[in-house]
Amino acid sequence: KQEVTQIPAALSVPEGENLVLNCSFTDSAIYNLQWFRQDPGKGLTSLLLIQSSQREQTSGRLNASLDKSSGRSTLYIAASQPGDSATYLCVSRTDSWGKLQFGAGTQVVVTP
Amino acid sequence: DAGVIQSPRHEVTEMGQEVTLRCKPISGHNSLFWYRQTMMRGLELLIYFNNNVPIDDSGMPEDRFSAKMPNASFSTLKIQPSEPRDSAVYFCASSLLSDPTYEQYFGPGTRLTVT
């Protein structure tokens, strides 16, 4: 059974610093890996999805890498802003029917 | 598109009452997923459907929980009778089987409180 672990569980940085969020997974036979953002009391917003054949994806200040052999993914957020404060979830898909496995999340606070 | 629509957004009910949560997937999507999120257990998959057929309901916690998808544009998750430990946020998500990424799109969730 796939297990997804996110470290750290919480992170606080001053505005302008770069954020590095780590995710590890036990089963390397994934279809894809996705990063979501969740604001308090809100739903999930997809940030980046990396297909199994890809090594990374980029969107604006966000970059996510994928290393299947080591079972790791990293989400980088450059020049953090207070608006980046949220919980970030790492999610893997190992099922052809689309079943997802969620990490517990990293709660990020960016202070002005 | 309006995205995945869930109703109600908030539900407060007393223990023992029946609760029905509703979901309208994105038009054209043929996979639908129900999730539950709690502080203790995080996000858990309860059940998912492909082409209106339940594929895996192993995440449904007890017989008190049931889900239906009578057509491609509507699904319900029912809890009967409800208990305080069912208090959680319930999310519905949909996706398209033919999409190479098979990305799931999440609804805003229903926050359920059972007193």
Side-chain angles (χ1 to χ4, degrees):
Chain A
K1 179 186 173 185
Q2 175 78 292
E3 292 185 6
V4 180
T5 304
Q6 291 187 245
I7 295 174
L11 185 60
S12 180
V13 299
E15 181 177 3
E17 273 199 15
N18 297 330
L19 284 164
V20 180
L21 309 181
N22 296 301
C23 170
S24 62
F25 47 93
T26 54
D27 185 351
S28 62
I30 61 172
Y31 283 79
N32 60 46
L33 188 132
Q34 195 166 4
W35 286 90
F36 285 88
R37 168 185 172 139
Q38 185 173 29
D39 293 283
K42 305 290 186 182
L44 279 68
T45 301
S46 178
L47 298 174
L48 293 167
L49 184 150
I50 312 173
Q51 290 281 63
S52 174
S53 58
Q54 297 173 323
R55 299 277 299 183
E56 67 176 351
Q57 280 286 334
T58 298
S59 176
R61 294 185 294 112
L62 277 60
N63 174 276
S65 64
L66 174 64
D67 184 345
K68 287 197 306 177
S69 61
S70 66
R72 294 179 188 277
S73 177
T74 302
L75 177 66
Y76 299 89
I77 303 177
S80 61
Q81 303 169 358
D84 295 328
S85 299
T87 296
Y88 292 83
L89 296 165
C90 173
V91 184
S92 75
R93 175 190 157 208
T94 54
D95 184 321
S96 61
W97 291 108
K99 193 171 182 177
L100 302 179
Q101 295 80 34
F102 290 81
T106 294
Q107 185 174 12
V108 171
V109 174
V110 180
T111 55
Chain B
D1 198 309
V4 176
I5 298 172
Q6 292 188 245
S7 64
R9 294 293 309 278
H10 301 274
E11 176 81 36
V12 180
T13 190
E14 292 183 348
M15 181 174 64
Q17 296 297 306
E18 175 181 302
V19 175
T20 298
L21 311 181
R22 297 172 176 80
C23 175
K24 177 178 170 55
I26 291 173
S27 178
H29 280 189
N30 47 15
S31 293
L32 185 138
F33 305 79
W34 281 101
Y35 295 90
R36 178 173 68 175
Q37 185 177 37
T38 61
M39 288 293 292
M40 291 295 295
R41 301 172 67 91
L43 267 156
E44 304 172 283
L45 177 67
L46 299 177
I47 184 172
Y48 65 100
F49 297 82
N50 282 335
N51 295 315
N52 312 337
V53 176
I55 301 300
D56 185 347
D57 65 354
S58 59
M60 297 285 262
E62 300 171 35
D63 291 346
R64 298 184 296 105
F65 286 69
S66 63
K68 293 182 179 179
M69 192 163 187
N71 57 62
S73 59
F74 183 67
S75 177
T76 59
L77 178 67
K78 184 179 293 186
I79 308 172
Q80 180 186 23
S82 59
E83 297 183 4
R85 59 195 169 115
D86 301 331
S87 298
V89 180
Y90 291 81
F91 289 102
C92 175
S94 72
S95 63
L96 184 62
L97 273 170
S98 59
D99 179 354
T101 67
Y102 204 49
E103 184 171 355
Q104 293 183 25
Y105 296 82
F106 283 75
T110 294
R111 182 173 297 276
L112 173 65
T113 303
V114 183
T115 60

Short mmCIF file of all heavy atoms in Angstrom, two decimals, chain B residues 15-77:
data_model
loop_
_atom_site.label_atom_id
_atom_site.label_comp_id
_atom_site.label_asym_id
_atom_site.label_seq_id
_atom_site.Cartn_x
_atom_site.Cartn_y
_atom_site.Cartn_z
N MET B 15 -27.42 13.71 16.28
CA MET B 15 -27.10 12.29 16.22
C MET B 15 -28.37 11.48 15.97
O MET B 15 -29.43 11.74 16.56
CB MET B 15 -26.48 11.86 17.55
CG MET B 15 -26.07 10.41 17.63
SD MET B 15 -25.19 10.06 19.16
CE MET B 15 -26.48 10.38 20.35
N GLY B 16 -28.24 10.51 15.06
CA GLY B 16 -29.37 9.66 14.75
C GLY B 16 -30.14 10.07 13.52
O GLY B 16 -30.91 9.28 12.96
N GLN B 17 -29.93 11.30 13.09
CA GLN B 17 -30.64 11.78 11.90
C GLN B 17 -29.95 11.30 10.63
O GLN B 17 -28.76 10.99 10.61
CB GLN B 17 -30.70 13.31 11.91
CG GLN B 17 -31.48 13.91 13.06
CD GLN B 17 -32.94 13.49 13.02
OE1 GLN B 17 -33.62 13.67 12.00
NE2 GLN B 17 -33.43 12.92 14.10
N GLU B 18 -30.74 11.27 9.57
CA GLU B 18 -30.19 10.92 8.25
C GLU B 18 -29.62 12.17 7.59
O GLU B 18 -30.21 13.26 7.68
CB GLU B 18 -31.30 10.34 7.37
CG GLU B 18 -30.86 10.04 5.94
CD GLU B 18 -32.01 9.50 5.12
OE1 GLU B 18 -32.58 8.46 5.50
OE2 GLU B 18 -32.33 10.10 4.08
N VAL B 19 -28.48 12.00 6.96
CA VAL B 19 -27.82 13.10 6.28
C VAL B 19 -27.57 12.70 4.83
O VAL B 19 -27.10 11.58 4.56
CB VAL B 19 -26.46 13.43 6.94
CG1 VAL B 19 -25.73 14.50 6.14
CG2 VAL B 19 -26.66 13.89 8.38
N THR B 20 -27.89 13.60 3.91
CA THR B 20 -27.62 13.33 2.49
C THR B 20 -26.80 14.47 1.91
O THR B 20 -27.20 15.63 1.96
CB THR B 20 -28.93 13.19 1.69
OG1 THR B 20 -29.67 12.08 2.20
CG2 THR B 20 -28.61 12.92 0.22
N LEU B 21 -25.64 14.12 1.38
CA LEU B 21 -24.76 15.08 0.73
C LEU B 21 -24.86 14.88 -0.78
O LEU B 21 -24.96 13.74 -1.24
CB LEU B 21 -23.31 14.88 1.20
CG LEU B 21 -23.10 14.79 2.72
CD1 LEU B 21 -21.62 14.62 3.03
CD2 LEU B 21 -23.69 15.98 3.42
N ARG B 22 -24.79 15.98 -1.50
CA ARG B 22 -25.00 15.92 -2.94
C ARG B 22 -23.82 16.45 -3.72
O ARG B 22 -23.11 17.35 -3.25
CB ARG B 22 -26.27 16.70 -3.31
CG ARG B 22 -27.52 16.11 -2.70
CD ARG B 22 -28.74 16.99 -2.91
NE ARG B 22 -29.95 16.35 -2.40
CZ ARG B 22 -30.30 16.31 -1.12
NH1 ARG B 22 -29.54 16.88 -0.20
NH2 ARG B 22 -31.42 15.70 -0.76
N CYS B 23 -23.64 15.90 -4.90
CA CYS B 23 -22.52 16.31 -5.75
C CYS B 23 -22.92 16.30 -7.21
O CYS B 23 -23.55 15.35 -7.70
CB CYS B 23 -21.33 15.38 -5.54
SG CYS B 23 -19.92 15.71 -6.64
N LYS B 24 -22.55 17.36 -7.90
CA LYS B 24 -22.72 17.43 -9.35
C LYS B 24 -21.33 17.53 -9.96
O LYS B 24 -20.65 18.55 -9.76
CB LYS B 24 -23.57 18.63 -9.75
CG LYS B 24 -23.74 18.82 -11.24
CD LYS B 24 -24.63 20.01 -11.54
CE LYS B 24 -24.63 20.37 -13.02
NZ LYS B 24 -24.99 19.23 -13.89
N PRO B 25 -20.89 16.53 -10.69
CA PRO B 25 -19.53 16.57 -11.26
C PRO B 25 -19.46 17.54 -12.44
O PRO B 25 -20.49 18.02 -12.92
CB PRO B 25 -19.31 15.13 -11.73
CG PRO B 25 -20.67 14.61 -12.02
CD PRO B 25 -21.58 15.27 -11.02
N ILE B 26 -18.27 17.80 -12.89
CA ILE B 26 -18.07 18.62 -14.08
C ILE B 26 -18.69 17.90 -15.28
O ILE B 26 -18.50 16.68 -15.44
CB ILE B 26 -16.58 18.88 -14.31
CG1 ILE B 26 -16.05 19.81 -13.21
CG2 ILE B 26 -16.32 19.50 -15.69
CD1 ILE B 26 -14.54 20.01 -13.24
N SER B 27 -19.42 18.65 -16.08
CA SER B 27 -20.09 18.07 -17.23
C SER B 27 -19.09 17.35 -18.15
O SER B 27 -18.04 17.90 -18.49
CB SER B 27 -20.80 19.18 -18.01
OG SER B 27 -21.43 18.67 -19.17
N GLY B 28 -19.42 16.11 -18.49
CA GLY B 28 -18.55 15.34 -19.37
C GLY B 28 -17.60 14.42 -18.63
O GLY B 28 -17.06 13.46 -19.22
N HIS B 29 -17.37 14.69 -17.35
CA HIS B 29 -16.51 13.79 -16.57
C HIS B 29 -17.23 12.48 -16.28
O HIS B 29 -18.45 12.46 -16.07
CB HIS B 29 -16.11 14.47 -15.25
CG HIS B 29 -15.00 15.44 -15.42
ND1 HIS B 29 -14.35 16.03 -14.34
CD2 HIS B 29 -14.41 15.95 -16.53
CE1 HIS B 29 -13.41 16.85 -14.79
NE2 HIS B 29 -13.43 16.82 -16.12
N ASN B 30 -16.47 11.38 -16.29
CA ASN B 30 -17.10 10.08 -16.09
C ASN B 30 -16.55 9.31 -14.88
O ASN B 30 -16.84 8.13 -14.71
CB ASN B 30 -16.99 9.22 -17.35
CG ASN B 30 -15.59 9.22 -17.93
OD1 ASN B 30 -14.63 9.63 -17.27
ND2 ASN B 30 -15.47 8.77 -19.17
N SER B 31 -15.74 9.97 -14.07
CA SER B 31 -15.30 9.38 -12.81
C SER B 31 -15.66 10.33 -11.68
O SER B 31 -15.50 11.55 -11.82
CB SER B 31 -13.79 9.14 -12.80
OG SER B 31 -13.44 8.15 -13.73
N LEU B 32 -16.12 9.77 -10.57
CA LEU B 32 -16.51 10.59 -9.43
C LEU B 32 -16.00 9.94 -8.15
O LEU B 32 -16.07 8.72 -7.99
CB LEU B 32 -18.04 10.76 -9.38
CG LEU B 32 -18.55 11.70 -8.29
CD1 LEU B 32 -19.68 12.58 -8.82
CD2 LEU B 32 -19.01 10.93 -7.06
N PHE B 33 -15.49 10.79 -7.26
CA PHE B 33 -14.86 10.32 -6.03
C PHE B 33 -15.46 11.04 -4.83
O PHE B 33 -15.70 12.25 -4.89
CB PHE B 33 -13.35 10.62 -6.06
CG PHE B 33 -12.63 10.07 -7.27
CD1 PHE B 33 -12.71 10.72 -8.49
CD2 PHE B 33 -11.88 8.92 -7.18
CE1 PHE B 33 -12.05 10.23 -9.61
CE2 PHE B 33 -11.21 8.41 -8.28
CZ PHE B 33 -11.30 9.07 -9.50
N TRP B 34 -15.68 10.33 -3.75
CA TRP B 34 -16.08 10.93 -2.48
C TRP B 34 -14.93 10.75 -1.47
O TRP B 34 -14.43 9.63 -1.29
CB TRP B 34 -17.33 10.27 -1.92
CG TRP B 34 -18.61 10.71 -2.55
CD1 TRP B 34 -19.35 10.05 -3.49
CD2 TRP B 34 -19.34 11.91 -2.25
NE1 TRP B 34 -20.47 10.77 -3.80
CE2 TRP B 34 -20.50 11.92 -3.06
CE3 TRP B 34 -19.14 12.98 -1.37
CZ2 TRP B 34 -21.44 12.95 -3.02
CZ3 TRP B 34 -20.06 13.99 -1.34
CH2 TRP B 34 -21.20 13.97 -2.16
N TYR B 35 -14.56 11.87 -0.82
CA TYR B 35 -13.50 11.86 0.19
C TYR B 35 -14.04 12.43 1.50
O TYR B 35 -14.99 13.21 1.52
CB TYR B 35 -12.32 12.74 -0.24
CG TYR B 35 -11.57 12.28 -1.46
CD1 TYR B 35 -11.94 12.71 -2.73
CD2 TYR B 35 -10.48 11.43 -1.34
CE1 TYR B 35 -11.24 12.30 -3.85
CE2 TYR B 35 -9.76 11.01 -2.46
CZ TYR B 35 -10.16 11.46 -3.70
OH TYR B 35 -9.45 11.05 -4.82
N ARG B 36 -13.36 12.06 2.58
CA ARG B 36 -13.65 12.64 3.89
C ARG B 36 -12.35 13.18 4.47
O ARG B 36 -11.31 12.51 4.38
CB ARG B 36 -14.26 11.58 4.82
CG ARG B 36 -14.55 12.07 6.21
CD ARG B 36 -15.30 11.04 7.02
NE ARG B 36 -14.51 9.86 7.34
CZ ARG B 36 -14.94 8.87 8.12
NH1 ARG B 36 -16.16 8.94 8.65
NH2 ARG B 36 -14.16 7.84 8.38
N GLN B 37 -12.41 14.37 5.06
CA GLN B 37 -11.23 14.95 5.67
C GLN B 37 -11.49 15.28 7.13
O GLN B 37 -12.44 15.97 7.47
CB GLN B 37 -10.81 16.24 4.94
CG GLN B 37 -9.50 16.83 5.45
CD GLN B 37 -9.07 18.05 4.68
OE1 GLN B 37 -9.89 18.87 4.27
NE2 GLN B 37 -7.77 18.19 4.45
N THR B 38 -10.64 14.75 8.00
CA THR B 38 -10.67 15.06 9.43
C THR B 38 -9.27 15.43 9.88
O THR B 38 -8.28 15.12 9.21
CB THR B 38 -11.14 13.85 10.26
OG1 THR B 38 -10.22 12.76 10.05
CG2 THR B 38 -12.54 13.40 9.86
N MET B 39 -9.20 16.09 11.02
CA MET B 39 -7.90 16.47 11.55
C MET B 39 -7.07 15.23 11.87
O MET B 39 -5.87 15.19 11.66
CB MET B 39 -8.07 17.32 12.81
CG MET B 39 -8.59 18.72 12.53
SD MET B 39 -7.40 19.71 11.63
CE MET B 39 -6.14 19.89 12.89
N MET B 40 -7.74 14.22 12.41
CA MET B 40 -7.01 13.04 12.86
C MET B 40 -6.52 12.17 11.70
O MET B 40 -5.41 11.64 11.75
CB MET B 40 -7.91 12.19 13.77
CG MET B 40 -8.21 12.83 15.10
SD MET B 40 -6.72 13.01 16.09
CE MET B 40 -6.31 11.28 16.37
N ARG B 41 -7.31 12.01 10.66
CA ARG B 41 -7.00 11.03 9.62
C ARG B 41 -6.68 11.66 8.27
O ARG B 41 -6.36 10.95 7.32
CB ARG B 41 -8.17 10.07 9.48
CG ARG B 41 -8.50 9.30 10.75
CD ARG B 41 -9.78 8.50 10.60
NE ARG B 41 -9.61 7.42 9.64
CZ ARG B 41 -9.22 6.19 9.94
NH1 ARG B 41 -8.94 5.89 11.20
NH2 ARG B 41 -9.10 5.27 9.00
N GLY B 42 -6.76 12.99 8.19
CA GLY B 42 -6.46 13.63 6.91
C GLY B 42 -7.53 13.32 5.88
O GLY B 42 -8.69 13.11 6.22
N LEU B 43 -7.13 13.25 4.62
CA LEU B 43 -8.07 12.97 3.52
C LEU B 43 -8.12 11.48 3.24
O LEU B 43 -7.09 10.84 3.03
CB LEU B 43 -7.62 13.71 2.25
CG LEU B 43 -8.24 15.07 2.04
CD1 LEU B 43 -7.37 15.93 1.17
CD2 LEU B 43 -9.63 14.92 1.41
N GLU B 44 -9.33 10.95 3.22
CA GLU B 44 -9.52 9.52 2.96
C GLU B 44 -10.51 9.35 1.81
O GLU B 44 -11.54 10.02 1.79
CB GLU B 44 -10.12 8.82 4.18
CG GLU B 44 -9.35 8.96 5.47
CD GLU B 44 -10.14 8.37 6.62
OE1 GLU B 44 -11.09 9.04 7.09
OE2 GLU B 44 -9.83 7.24 7.04
N LEU B 45 -10.21 8.43 0.92
CA LEU B 45 -11.14 8.09 -0.15
C LEU B 45 -12.21 7.16 0.41
O LEU B 45 -11.91 6.15 1.04
CB LEU B 45 -10.41 7.41 -1.29
CG LEU B 45 -11.28 6.93 -2.44
CD1 LEU B 45 -11.89 8.11 -3.19
CD2 LEU B 45 -10.46 6.07 -3.39
N LEU B 46 -13.46 7.53 0.18
CA LEU B 46 -14.56 6.69 0.66
C LEU B 46 -15.03 5.73 -0.43
O LEU B 46 -15.14 4.52 -0.21
CB LEU B 46 -15.74 7.58 1.10
CG LEU B 46 -15.45 8.55 2.23
CD1 LEU B 46 -16.69 9.41 2.51
CD2 LEU B 46 -15.03 7.82 3.48
N ILE B 47 -15.28 6.27 -1.61
CA ILE B 47 -15.79 5.46 -2.71
C ILE B 47 -15.54 6.18 -4.01
O ILE B 47 -15.45 7.41 -4.03
CB ILE B 47 -17.31 5.19 -2.53
CG1 ILE B 47 -17.86 4.25 -3.61
CG2 ILE B 47 -18.10 6.50 -2.51
CD1 ILE B 47 -19.30 3.79 -3.35
N TYR B 48 -15.40 5.42 -5.11
CA TYR B 48 -15.37 6.10 -6.39
C TYR B 48 -16.11 5.30 -7.44
O TYR B 48 -16.25 4.08 -7.37
CB TYR B 48 -13.95 6.47 -6.83
CG TYR B 48 -12.99 5.35 -7.12
CD1 TYR B 48 -12.72 4.94 -8.43
CD2 TYR B 48 -12.27 4.77 -6.09
CE1 TYR B 48 -11.79 3.96 -8.68
CE2 TYR B 48 -11.34 3.78 -6.35
CZ TYR B 48 -11.09 3.39 -7.64
OH TYR B 48 -10.15 2.41 -7.89
N PHE B 49 -16.62 6.07 -8.42
CA PHE B 49 -17.45 5.56 -9.50
C PHE B 49 -16.77 5.83 -10.85
O PHE B 49 -16.15 6.88 -11.04
CB PHE B 49 -18.81 6.29 -9.54
CG PHE B 49 -19.67 6.09 -8.32
CD1 PHE B 49 -19.48 6.86 -7.17
CD2 PHE B 49 -20.70 5.15 -8.33
CE1 PHE B 49 -20.29 6.70 -6.06
CE2 PHE B 49 -21.52 4.99 -7.21
CZ PHE B 49 -21.31 5.76 -6.08
N ASN B 50 -16.90 4.89 -11.74
CA ASN B 50 -16.55 5.12 -13.15
C ASN B 50 -17.77 4.81 -13.98
O ASN B 50 -18.37 3.73 -13.84
CB ASN B 50 -15.38 4.25 -13.59
CG ASN B 50 -14.04 4.77 -13.11
OD1 ASN B 50 -13.89 5.96 -12.85
ND2 ASN B 50 -13.08 3.90 -12.97
N ASN B 51 -18.15 5.75 -14.82
CA ASN B 51 -19.35 5.58 -15.65
C ASN B 51 -20.55 5.15 -14.80
O ASN B 51 -21.29 4.21 -15.17
CB ASN B 51 -19.09 4.58 -16.77
CG ASN B 51 -18.05 5.08 -17.76
OD1 ASN B 51 -18.10 6.24 -18.18
ND2 ASN B 51 -17.09 4.24 -18.12
N ASN B 52 -20.72 5.79 -13.68
CA ASN B 52 -21.84 5.62 -12.75
C ASN B 52 -21.80 4.31 -11.98
O ASN B 52 -22.71 4.03 -11.19
CB ASN B 52 -23.20 5.72 -13.48
CG ASN B 52 -23.30 6.93 -14.38
OD1 ASN B 52 -22.59 7.89 -14.20
ND2 ASN B 52 -24.18 6.85 -15.36
N VAL B 53 -20.78 3.51 -12.16
CA VAL B 53 -20.68 2.21 -11.49
C VAL B 53 -19.67 2.31 -10.35
O VAL B 53 -18.54 2.77 -10.57
CB VAL B 53 -20.25 1.11 -12.48
CG1 VAL B 53 -20.06 -0.21 -11.75
CG2 VAL B 53 -21.25 0.98 -13.61
N PRO B 54 -20.05 1.87 -9.14
CA PRO B 54 -19.07 1.90 -8.04
C PRO B 54 -17.93 0.91 -8.30
O PRO B 54 -18.18 -0.26 -8.56
CB PRO B 54 -19.90 1.51 -6.81
CG PRO B 54 -21.08 0.78 -7.36
CD PRO B 54 -21.36 1.35 -8.70
N ILE B 55 -16.71 1.42 -8.23
CA ILE B 55 -15.53 0.59 -8.51
C ILE B 55 -14.90 0.08 -7.23
O ILE B 55 -14.49 -1.07 -7.13
CB ILE B 55 -14.49 1.38 -9.33
CG1 ILE B 55 -15.09 1.84 -10.65
CG2 ILE B 55 -13.24 0.55 -9.56
CD1 ILE B 55 -15.58 0.73 -11.55
N ASP B 56 -14.80 0.96 -6.25
CA ASP B 56 -14.13 0.59 -5.00
C ASP B 56 -14.80 1.32 -3.85
O ASP B 56 -14.75 2.55 -3.81
CB ASP B 56 -12.65 0.94 -5.08
CG ASP B 56 -11.87 0.48 -3.85
OD1 ASP B 56 -12.49 0.10 -2.83
OD2 ASP B 56 -10.63 0.48 -3.92
N ASP B 57 -15.46 0.59 -2.99
CA ASP B 57 -16.10 1.22 -1.82
C ASP B 57 -15.45 0.76 -0.53
O ASP B 57 -16.05 0.83 0.54
CB ASP B 57 -17.60 0.93 -1.80
CG ASP B 57 -17.91 -0.55 -1.61
OD1 ASP B 57 -16.95 -1.36 -1.61
OD2 ASP B 57 -19.09 -0.90 -1.48
N SER B 58 -14.22 0.30 -0.63
CA SER B 58 -13.55 -0.24 0.55
C SER B 58 -13.27 0.83 1.61
O SER B 58 -13.01 0.52 2.77
CB SER B 58 -12.22 -0.91 0.15
OG SER B 58 -11.37 0.01 -0.49
N GLY B 59 -13.33 2.09 1.20
CA GLY B 59 -13.10 3.17 2.16
C GLY B 59 -14.32 3.59 2.93
O GLY B 59 -14.23 4.37 3.88
N MET B 60 -15.47 3.07 2.57
CA MET B 60 -16.69 3.41 3.29
C MET B 60 -16.59 2.82 4.70
O MET B 60 -16.45 1.60 4.86
CB MET B 60 -17.91 2.85 2.56
CG MET B 60 -18.09 3.46 1.17
SD MET B 60 -18.71 5.13 1.24
CE MET B 60 -20.45 4.80 0.96
N PRO B 61 -16.69 3.68 5.71
CA PRO B 61 -16.37 3.22 7.07
C PRO B 61 -17.32 2.18 7.64
O PRO B 61 -16.88 1.27 8.33
CB PRO B 61 -16.38 4.51 7.89
CG PRO B 61 -17.14 5.50 7.09
CD PRO B 61 -16.99 5.12 5.67
N GLU B 62 -18.59 2.32 7.38
CA GLU B 62 -19.56 1.41 7.99
C GLU B 62 -20.78 1.30 7.09
O GLU B 62 -20.93 2.05 6.13
CB GLU B 62 -20.00 1.95 9.36
CG GLU B 62 -18.89 2.13 10.36
CD GLU B 62 -19.38 2.86 11.60
OE1 GLU B 62 -20.54 2.64 12.01
OE2 GLU B 62 -18.60 3.65 12.15
N ASP B 63 -21.64 0.35 7.44
CA ASP B 63 -22.88 0.19 6.68
C ASP B 63 -23.79 1.40 6.79
O ASP B 63 -24.74 1.53 6.01
CB ASP B 63 -23.64 -1.06 7.16
CG ASP B 63 -22.90 -2.33 6.78
OD1 ASP B 63 -21.99 -2.25 5.92
OD2 ASP B 63 -23.22 -3.40 7.33
N ARG B 64 -23.50 2.27 7.73
CA ARG B 64 -24.33 3.47 7.85
C ARG B 64 -24.11 4.41 6.67
O ARG B 64 -24.91 5.30 6.44
CB ARG B 64 -23.99 4.21 9.15
CG ARG B 64 -24.25 3.42 10.41
CD ARG B 64 -23.98 4.24 11.67
NE ARG B 64 -22.57 4.62 11.80
CZ ARG B 64 -22.11 5.85 11.57
NH1 ARG B 64 -22.93 6.82 11.23
NH2 ARG B 64 -20.82 6.12 11.72
N PHE B 65 -23.01 4.21 5.96
CA PHE B 65 -22.68 5.05 4.82
C PHE B 65 -23.09 4.34 3.52
O PHE B 65 -22.83 3.14 3.34
CB PHE B 65 -21.18 5.32 4.76
CG PHE B 65 -20.67 6.28 5.78
CD1 PHE B 65 -20.65 5.95 7.14
CD2 PHE B 65 -20.22 7.53 5.40
CE1 PHE B 65 -20.18 6.85 8.08
CE2 PHE B 65 -19.73 8.43 6.34
CZ PHE B 65 -19.71 8.10 7.68
N SER B 66 -23.72 5.10 2.63
CA SER B 66 -24.05 4.56 1.31
C SER B 66 -23.92 5.66 0.28
O SER B 66 -24.10 6.83 0.60
CB SER B 66 -25.46 3.97 1.30
OG SER B 66 -26.42 4.97 1.55
N ALA B 67 -23.56 5.30 -0.94
CA ALA B 67 -23.41 6.28 -2.01
C ALA B 67 -24.08 5.74 -3.26
O ALA B 67 -24.05 4.53 -3.53
CB ALA B 67 -21.95 6.59 -2.27
N LYS B 68 -24.64 6.67 -4.02
CA LYS B 68 -25.29 6.31 -5.28
C LYS B 68 -24.89 7.29 -6.36
O LYS B 68 -24.56 8.44 -6.08
CB LYS B 68 -26.81 6.30 -5.11
CG LYS B 68 -27.35 5.23 -4.19
CD LYS B 68 -28.87 5.28 -4.13
CE LYS B 68 -29.41 4.19 -3.22
NZ LYS B 68 -30.91 4.23 -3.14
N MET B 69 -24.96 6.82 -7.57
CA MET B 69 -24.76 7.71 -8.72
C MET B 69 -25.79 7.29 -9.77
O MET B 69 -25.49 6.47 -10.65
CB MET B 69 -23.34 7.62 -9.25
CG MET B 69 -23.03 8.72 -10.25
SD MET B 69 -21.27 8.92 -10.50
CE MET B 69 -21.31 10.40 -11.54
N PRO B 70 -26.99 7.82 -9.68
CA PRO B 70 -28.08 7.39 -10.58
C PRO B 70 -27.87 7.81 -12.03
O PRO B 70 -28.42 7.17 -12.94
CB PRO B 70 -29.31 8.07 -9.98
CG PRO B 70 -28.78 9.23 -9.20
CD PRO B 70 -27.44 8.81 -8.70
N ASN B 71 -27.09 8.87 -12.24
CA ASN B 71 -26.78 9.29 -13.61
C ASN B 71 -25.45 10.01 -13.62
O ASN B 71 -24.85 10.24 -12.55
CB ASN B 71 -27.91 10.17 -14.18
CG ASN B 71 -28.18 11.39 -13.32
OD1 ASN B 71 -27.29 12.23 -13.15
ND2 ASN B 71 -29.38 11.49 -12.78
N ALA B 72 -25.00 10.40 -14.79
CA ALA B 72 -23.65 10.96 -14.94
C ALA B 72 -23.50 12.34 -14.32
O ALA B 72 -22.39 12.84 -14.19
CB ALA B 72 -23.30 11.03 -16.42
N SER B 73 -24.60 12.96 -13.94
CA SER B 73 -24.51 14.34 -13.46
C SER B 73 -24.90 14.49 -12.00
O SER B 73 -25.07 15.62 -11.52
CB SER B 73 -25.38 15.25 -14.33
OG SER B 73 -26.72 14.82 -14.29
N PHE B 74 -25.01 13.38 -11.27
CA PHE B 74 -25.47 13.52 -9.89
C PHE B 74 -25.05 12.33 -9.05
O PHE B 74 -25.16 11.17 -9.47
CB PHE B 74 -27.00 13.66 -9.89
CG PHE B 74 -27.60 13.88 -8.53
CD1 PHE B 74 -27.35 15.05 -7.83
CD2 PHE B 74 -28.41 12.92 -7.93
CE1 PHE B 74 -27.90 15.27 -6.58
CE2 PHE B 74 -28.98 13.13 -6.69
CZ PHE B 74 -28.72 14.31 -6.01
N SER B 75 -24.60 12.63 -7.83
CA SER B 75 -24.26 11.57 -6.89
C SER B 75 -24.65 12.00 -5.49
O SER B 75 -24.67 13.20 -5.18
CB SER B 75 -22.76 11.26 -6.92
OG SER B 75 -22.43 10.27 -5.96
N THR B 76 -24.98 11.04 -4.65
CA THR B 76 -25.30 11.32 -3.26
C THR B 76 -24.48 10.43 -2.33
O THR B 76 -24.14 9.30 -2.68
CB THR B 76 -26.79 11.08 -2.96
OG1 THR B 76 -27.11 9.72 -3.25
CG2 THR B 76 -27.68 12.01 -3.76
N LEU B 77 -24.18 10.97 -1.18
CA LEU B 77 -23.57 10.21 -0.09
C LEU B 77 -24.49 10.34 1.11
O LEU B 77 -24.78 11.45 1.54
CB LEU B 77 -22.18 10.77 0.24
CG LEU B 77 -21.44 10.10 1.40
CD1 LEU B 77 -21.06 8.67 1.06
CD2 LEU B 77 -20.19 10.90 1.77
#
